[in-house]
Amino acid sequence: MMRIKTFLAAFVLTALPGFAYAECSWGRAHEVTMSCADGTTWDAASQSCVTTATS
């Protein structure tokens, strides 16, 4: 009986990090942070940095 408990405890401790990682990445779009160079801003429509219009 003690061997079964030891095996189950070892299995849970080994598998737990994998389940925690999977829970964090399910159902969520990955967000990426990006910086544009000075004088440019992020344009969501073109998905790129574009020159900032100045007046």
Side-chain angles (χ1 to χ4, degrees):
M1 186 69 170
M2 187 64 153
R3 286 185 177 169
I4 293 173
K5 287 182 182 180
T6 304
F7 173 76
L8 288 175
F11 176 75
V12 168
L13 290 174
T14 303
L16 200 58
F19 290 131
Y21 175 76
E23 183 178 318
C24 288
S25 62
W26 281 345
R28 214 184 286 180
H30 294 281
E31 294 180 19
V32 177
T33 303
M34 181 179 168
S35 297
C36 293
D38 289 339
T40 62
T41 57
W42 181 253
D43 179 38
S46 65
Q47 296 288 304
S48 63
C49 294
V50 294
T51 305
T52 305
T54 57
S55 54

